[in-house]
Amino acid sequence: MTEVKSPAPADRSGAGGSRADDSRAGRPRVGGWTRLVTARPRLSLFAALVVTLLAVLAGGGVADRLGSGGWEDPAAESTYATKALEREFPDSQPNLLLLVDAGRASVDDPAVAAEAERLADRLAAEEGITGVGSYWDTRSPALRAEDGRQALIAARITGDETTAGETLERVAPHVRGAQGPVEVRIGGIVAVRHDMQTIIQEDLLRAEMIALPVTLVLLVMVFGSAVAALLPLGIGIVAILGTNAVLRGLTEITDVSVFALNLTTALGLGLAIDYALFIVRRFREELSGGADPLTAVATTLRTAGRTVLFSALTVAVSLAAMLLFPQYFLRSFAYSGIAVVLLAAAAALILLPAALVLLGHRVNSLDLRRLFRRGRERTPDAEEGRGWARTAGLVMRRAPFFALGTTAVLVLLGLPFLGVKFGTADDRQLPSGAESHIVQQHLRDGFPGSPGGGLEILAEGRATEAQYTGYKERLAALPEVLRVDGPLVNGDSAYFTVQPKGEAVDEPAQRLVSDIRATDAPFDTSVTGTAAVLVDTKDAIGEQLPWAALFITVVTLILVFLLTGSVLIPLQAVLLNALSLTAMFGAVVWVFQDGHLSGLLGFTSPGSIETTLPVLMFCVAFGLSMDYGVFLLSRIKEEYDHTGDHQQAVRHGLQRTGGLITAAAVILAVVMVAIGTSRVTNTKMLGLGIALAVLMDAMVVRSLLVPAVMRLTGRATWWAPAPLRHLHARFGLSEGEPTAADTPAEQRREADRGADREGDKVTAGG
């Protein structure tokens, strides 16, 4: 490959000035920001404490105001039909089911029937409950189990999710459990959502109790100093509490999903730790090079601070793509994710510098690693990263092998995703012991058809009885139709129910939705039901997915260009980040769809993946991959600007950030695994899937694939046409290049490079 020659380091500004001149030109901004955040550090920290306490008050009880739905497209036909049926035929939309179990007796036994009628009357007398009906009233075979020992009482709880949940909590103790000769369990959509919300809150508290102490131990191991280890944890707590307050405010104007709390905890801890790790690490490095605390903070903000800013922007961009989707489930993750990312970055760039100025060299206090050194003194960072440097040298000497081999392995791990089947979230998200899940499983296994999973058709427009009958006959003749009930007529509207032969959301049921919508009718029809919602959700995601991908790609390319000034590096970043996610998607299908390891992980596989989950996981994991990518690229860029030596820059960048990125990934993976201990399958999938993604990205892509690809592209990696070079010189979000005077640790780094010069020659020769 012919390598493109780059200008000498002194001329890299593109304006003919020296790097020192450029640095002096940039210093007022750097100095101004440093003075701003460190002028009154105690006052800054006190103000942060006050704001955090206010956030605790503002965000209190946020979980009780969050919804457990949000998978539907508000503009879809199925959503319109559901709302219209609730308005015109409220009794046709039961969301509460009582499973009445007669034990060894028959549900037609007089004593059983009398108790069931009493329960139905009790429900009908409760405020907020309408449309109470039962097998004993209607004798409908759909409400009676095939073995004759179980039957259903159906009702509708009115109001929004919060109101419905409160009604369920009030009524449930009076109808649940042993009731005379029968045993009663509670199911239905309201019960499923209530159980899901309750379990998520309990699991989130447990995850925090697991993640916080384990994270603190890992931080102590990374930093050695207990003082330094507490700083990232403090930043994370501030970000989480602040985001809870933001979500509480958003619930006043829009719907927010309860699942967003999991992302708040995970990203709040994970990214705050990433940013604080990077800043504290650079600060300690500058201190070890002889800088005083204020100068060390200034250099840290100019270098690591710039990296944190870019990282936060790239992660926020990936999460913002979810705002393009209509489902409030996805939009909720954008709300919480953007808020927690920006708050974590703000805390890291405002509060952390103030704390570091106050601590100074005491940031290294309580070095617990001394207990294991047996009295040996070790100069901080003197030998750090030599293993990563050797790894980079080995990878670059065998660049084609590592590039092709790593790519092949990642593609192979992603192959199971080719067999993905998309479904909808239902009771099988819950643990097998959850009451609402038990009820729904009884319905699937023991009742004819799919009770609660039928398709509902709203017919609007004046019609005759003959027209209704003809339409019903055409529906009954469709493949996969078990039975057609109705019509129920209310003025100019009518209501039909179609029971599919198989499962409520399998492929035949989805085809049936299209067949019904294509059936001629002398009036306007709208179809809803579980399968119809799934079809409309898939269509909505498919329509917006290309735009979301385009948004993420274009904005990421722009941001990475502003960081590096290169044309090729942004393209590499996008492609390699996307490639790093293949293992996650392959594992999601192999484990959660196909059911492998379901016993070990404790979940029930529904045989499909909830339609919105891959979108969510892609946006979150892509953003986190960019987070690590920016860490590595910024250090490579800094070294390349110093030396003009491409291979040395790659080796030095991995040497200085390889351990840091790996430590950050392990800590974030611990947080995500703690989230993944949830008993709700979607949350488990989210936590474990992203944990795998960040570990693969840090340990495989950043350590092997990136150095190999950059070695193959050579110094052409840094090329950009003249107009773009001038654009970057003018608009690049840079704090200016450091000089030896600005960077007291530079002499130490130069000494390290001199000590490793022989290794560099070997690498260059490869």
Side-chain angles (χ1 to χ4, degrees):
M1 178 182 294
T2 302
E3 293 191 344
V4 178
K5 300 291 184 181
S6 66
D11 296 325
R12 291 191 58 76
S13 67
S18 68
R19 191 172 63 215
D21 291 338
D22 292 341
S23 180
R24 284 193 293 271
R27 282 183 196 172
R29 284 190 298 140
V30 177
W33 180 250
T34 303
R35 285 193 298 272
L36 177 65
V37 299
T38 60
R40 291 180 174 82
R42 290 182 176 83
L43 179 61
S44 298
L45 295 178
F46 177 75
L49 177 62
V50 172
V51 171
T52 302
L53 292 176
L54 292 175
V56 172
L57 296 177
V62 62
D64 296 330
R65 299 183 60 86
L66 302 180
S68 55
W71 291 280
E72 306 87 359
D73 175 7
E77 175 184 319
S78 57
T79 305
Y80 167 79
T82 298
K83 292 181 178 179
L85 287 171
E86 289 176 356
R87 182 178 63 251
E88 301 293 335
F89 302 92
D91 295 350
S92 69
Q93 296 283 296
N95 55 15
L96 175 66
L97 299 176
L98 301 187
L99 179 66
V100 180
D101 190 335
R104 296 183 179 181
S106 168
V107 294
D108 296 314
D109 184 276
V112 172
E115 183 61 31
E117 290 171 358
R118 187 191 69 80
L119 288 171
D121 292 340
R122 173 66 187 265
L123 278 183
E126 291 285 348
E127 182 181 357
I129 296 182
T130 64
V132 179
S134 71
Y135 160 74
W136 295 271
D137 291 334
T138 65
R139 294 296 169 176
S140 170
L143 300 179
R144 181 179 183 273
E146 294 174 342
D147 64 3
R149 295 181 180 180
Q150 294 176 328
L152 293 174
I153 299 173
R156 178 164 188 83
I157 299 181
T158 59
D160 58 19
E161 287 187 25
T162 301
T163 303
E166 292 171 351
T167 302
L168 179 65
E169 289 180 347
R170 185 184 75 243
V171 172
H174 304 294
V175 298
R176 174 187 286 126
Q179 303 289 334
V182 300
E183 183 79 19
V184 180
R185 293 190 178 97
I186 299 177
I189 296 175
V190 167
V192 169
R193 290 183 172 178
H194 184 267
D195 285 348
M196 193 172 294
Q197 189 171 37
T198 302
I199 291 172
I200 285 175
Q201 292 182 46
E202 295 172 354
D203 290 349
L204 184 60
L205 179 60
R206 187 181 70 251
E208 291 172 346
M209 298 299 292
I210 295 172
L212 287 174
V214 175
T215 296
L216 181 59
V217 171
L218 291 174
L219 286 170
V220 170
M221 293 173 62
V222 172
F223 282 120
S225 163
V227 173
L230 288 171
L231 295 175
L233 210 56
I235 297 299
I237 292 173
V238 169
I240 292 171
L241 295 176
T243 302
N244 285 343
V246 171
L247 293 180
R248 176 62 178 81
L250 286 172
T251 60
E252 298 293 336
I253 57 176
T254 188
D255 293 318
V256 181
S257 172
V258 69
F259 287 93
L261 290 179
N262 295 288
L263 189 66
T264 297
T265 297
L267 289 187
L269 284 177
L271 289 178
I273 287 169
D274 285 357
Y275 299 156
L277 271 173
F278 207 67
I279 287 176
V280 173
R281 167 73 169 278
R282 189 59 183 262
F283 176 75
R284 295 174 75 187
E285 184 180 329
E286 297 303 321
L287 286 182
S288 70
D292 62 88
L294 188 58
T295 303
V297 167
T299 303
T300 298
L301 288 177
R302 185 178 57 244
T303 53
R306 180 188 67 171
T307 301
V308 166
L309 175 62
F310 270 97
S311 172
L313 290 174
T314 54
V315 176
V317 162
S318 296
L319 297 172
M322 287 185 284
L323 292 173
L324 298 177
F325 295 92
Q327 294 89 347
Y328 87 74
F329 173 79
L330 287 175
R331 297 171 70 88
S332 299
F333 285 94
Y335 303 147
S336 64
I338 293 172
V340 78
V341 167
L342 296 182
L343 286 172
L349 295 175
I350 297 173
L351 303 182
L352 192 54
L356 292 175
V357 167
L358 289 176
L359 288 172
H361 288 276
R362 287 175 295 179
V363 74
N364 297 316
S365 299
L366 300 179
D367 187 351
L368 303 181
R369 292 184 299 190
R370 290 179 179 176
L371 300 174
F372 305 99
R373 292 183 193 152
R374 299 180 181 180
R376 292 186 290 111
E377 292 296 328
R378 179 178 179 269
T379 304
D381 303 326
E383 299 294 330
E384 182 182 5
R386 296 296 174 87
W388 289 104
R390 288 192 293 270
T391 297
L394 172 64
V395 170
M396 287 191 288
R397 287 195 299 272
R398 302 289 184 267
F401 169 79
F402 281 100
L404 293 175
T406 304
T407 301
V409 170
L410 291 174
V411 170
L412 182 64
L413 291 175
L415 288 179
F417 192 71
L418 296 177
V420 65
K421 298 177 183 177
F422 293 110
T424 186
D426 58 20
D427 61 283
R428 285 170 288 191
Q429 296 288 319
L430 296 170
S432 58
E435 182 181 29
S436 59
H437 173 71
I438 293 173
V439 171
Q440 298 303 124
Q441 194 61 46
H442 275 290
L443 297 184
R444 278 188 291 269
D445 295 340
F447 283 70
S450 183
L455 296 171
E456 291 115 4
I457 304 172
L458 172 68
E460 296 178 293
R462 187 172 298 277
T464 65
E465 183 177 348
Q467 288 175 320
Y468 285 136
T469 301
Y471 180 65
K472 181 176 180 179
E473 290 174 350
R474 288 192 292 275
L475 291 177
L478 292 175
E480 305 301 331
V481 171
L482 176 67
R483 185 180 69 253
V484 181
D485 296 325
L488 298 177
V489 181
N490 181 12
D492 291 342
S493 299
Y495 165 68
F496 296 86
T497 301
V498 177
Q499 285 291 340
K501 292 179 180 178
E503 287 286 339
V505 293
D506 59 9
E507 289 294 333
Q510 295 178 52
R511 289 195 299 270
L512 181 58
V513 172
S514 300
D515 292 341
I516 292 174
R517 288 174 173 173
T519 300
D520 291 334
F523 33 71
D524 294 329
T525 59
S526 303
V527 183
T528 187
T530 307
V533 170
L534 174 58
V535 168
D536 290 343
T537 299
K538 290 166 66 174
D539 289 345
I541 289 178
E543 181 180 344
Q544 295 300 323
L545 191 59
W547 295 107
L550 180 64
F551 173 77
I552 291 176
T553 300
V554 170
V555 180
T556 300
L557 290 174
I558 293 172
L559 288 174
V560 178
F561 169 76
L562 292 175
L563 174 67
T564 63
S566 164
V567 171
L568 189 57
I569 287 179
L571 295 173
Q572 289 180 355
V574 170
L575 292 176
L576 298 186
N577 281 4
L579 185 62
S580 71
L581 307 184
T582 54
M584 174 186 72
F585 285 123
V588 160
V589 170
W590 190 79
V591 174
F592 291 96
Q593 175 182 295
D594 298 342
H596 298 101
L597 307 180
S598 59
L600 177 64
L601 297 178
F603 68 92
T604 300
S605 173
S608 62
I609 301 297
E610 201 282 316
T611 312
T612 59
L613 255 294
V615 176
L616 168 62
M617 297 177 73
F618 174 84
C619 292
V620 174
F622 187 89
L624 294 174
S625 296
M626 281 304 306
D627 182 44
Y628 300 139
V630 167
F631 285 176
L632 177 59
L633 290 174
S634 65
R635 203 59 187 263
I636 292 175
K637 174 71 163 58
E638 180 183 343
E639 181 67 12
Y640 184 67
D641 287 339
H642 279 313
T643 66
D645 186 333
H646 173 68
Q647 293 188 46
Q648 163 64 12
V650 174
R651 189 188 70 83
H652 185 81
L654 190 60
Q655 177 181 358
R656 289 298 183 184
T657 63
L660 181 66
I661 290 173
T662 301
V666 169
I667 293 172
L668 179 57
V670 166
V671 177
M672 296 308 304
V673 168
I675 297 294
T677 61
S678 173
R679 292 166 290 170
V680 176
T681 304
N682 271 359
T683 306
K684 187 186 297 291
M685 187 188 310
L686 177 68
L688 298 182
I690 293 179
L692 176 62
V694 298
L695 290 176
M696 291 295 293
D697 183 77
M699 297 181 177
V700 177
V701 175
R702 303 299 151 203
S703 303
L704 303 177
L705 192 55
V706 170
V709 171
M710 294 189 79
R711 172 65 181 88
L712 292 175
T713 54
R715 290 175 66 181
T717 302
W718 306 100
W719 177 84
L724 290 182
R725 287 202 303 271
H726 291 304
L727 183 68
H728 179 262
R730 183 172 182 180
F731 297 107
L733 301 182
S734 172
E735 298 289 349
E737 298 299 337
T739 66
D742 296 326
T743 316
E746 179 59 28
Q747 291 182 347
R748 182 172 205 86
R749 290 196 294 269
E750 188 62 41
D752 288 346
R753 288 196 294 270
D756 291 333
R757 195 66 68 186
E758 289 302 318
D760 297 340
K761 292 178 181 178
V762 173
T763 300

